[in-house]
Amino acid sequence: MKNIITLLIIIFISCKKDSKTIDATIALKNVPESFFSPNSKHKIQETDKLIDFTSEYNRLPNSEFSKFYLKKHPEKYAPYFNITLNLSPANKITFEGVEVYKNELISYVEEFVDFAAEGKPTLIHLNFDENSSLKSYLDFIEFIKPISSESIQINDSVFIYNIDSLPDCDCSL
């Protein structure tokens, strides 16, 4: 009898779905808040593989977009040359509101910073539409990491926004 109970417990535990696994196709607005705690570890289920991921970024409320947030907190960001990158649900990338092709982005940003930063350290602010998929977010984070250097940093807070919650600025994201 003990063996049967032990066997049933083992079967139950081994068949239990890992509740910490997150589907890569989920929209960012549905990703658990705990995902955006720095150094938190997660398992992401892609179509054909399970990947381990350690989060590096905080998430700001979905009513924020970096351009507006920077204006609200000038004392924190004044020492930097601030630039914004945005990823739309269609994986369209904009740099300061201007569309840029992915294969040109890193060199374009580096050249722009070299020309315009005037010796200030650069801080890149990443913005993601809340309807973008977790996979798009992860791919973009991995893609943009190599731009980090002594003079270019990526903000440790990401902006995942609801476009309908943003102020009307008559501007391009």
Side-chain angles (χ1 to χ4, degrees):
M1 183 68 170
K2 262 187 186 177
N3 290 342
I4 292 175
I5 293 174
T6 304
L7 181 61
L8 288 173
I9 290 172
I10 291 170
I11 290 171
F12 176 73
I13 291 172
S14 64
C15 292
K16 185 178 174 188
K17 185 178 178 181
D18 183 2
S19 61
K20 293 186 180 185
T21 300
I22 304 171
D23 182 352
T25 63
I26 191 172
L28 289 174
K29 66 183 173 188
N30 298 322
V31 173
E33 283 296 319
S34 62
F35 181 84
F36 296 99
S37 297
N39 301 316
S40 59
K41 297 182 185 307
H42 307 277
K43 293 200 179 296
I44 312 293
Q45 181 66 56
E46 290 190 356
T47 305
D48 55 348
K49 64 184 174 184
L50 188 64
I51 61 169
D52 290 319
F53 179 78
T54 302
S55 184
E56 298 176 42
Y57 301 97
N58 296 309
R59 176 187 176 169
L60 291 168
N62 71 344
S63 60
E64 293 292 352
F65 186 82
S66 62
K67 289 180 184 184
F68 307 116
Y69 191 80
L70 296 174
K71 286 182 180 182
K72 291 179 191 174
H73 301 89
E75 67 290 340
K76 182 175 181 179
Y77 298 106
Y80 298 100
F81 178 66
N82 296 286
I83 59 175
T84 63
L85 297 177
N86 183 56
L87 184 69
S88 76
N91 290 324
K92 176 179 140 185
I93 300 168
T94 55
F95 167 62
E96 293 297 324
V98 177
E99 186 172 1
V100 179
Y101 294 112
K102 187 175 181 179
N103 63 341
E104 299 172 350
L105 179 65
I106 291 183
S107 61
Y108 186 73
V109 169
E110 288 172 336
E111 288 173 18
F112 181 75
V113 166
D114 188 46
F115 174 76
E118 298 179 348
K120 278 185 162 183
T122 298
L123 189 58
I124 297 175
H125 306 279
L126 302 178
N127 300 277
F128 301 88
D129 184 295
E130 70 177 7
N131 292 307
S132 295
S133 71
L134 178 58
K135 172 122 176 72
S136 294
Y137 170 86
L138 296 172
D139 289 347
F140 192 74
I141 292 291
E142 287 304 309
F143 169 76
I144 201 66
K145 272 185 191 180
I147 203 166
S148 292
S149 68
E150 211 172 284
S151 60
I152 300 175
Q153 301 169 21
I154 298 173
N155 188 346
D156 60 1
S157 294
V158 293
F159 300 84
I160 299 173
Y161 61 89
N162 174 328
I163 199 159
D164 296 327
S165 296
L166 298 180
D168 183 17
C169 67
D170 195 30
C171 56
S172 297
L173 301 179

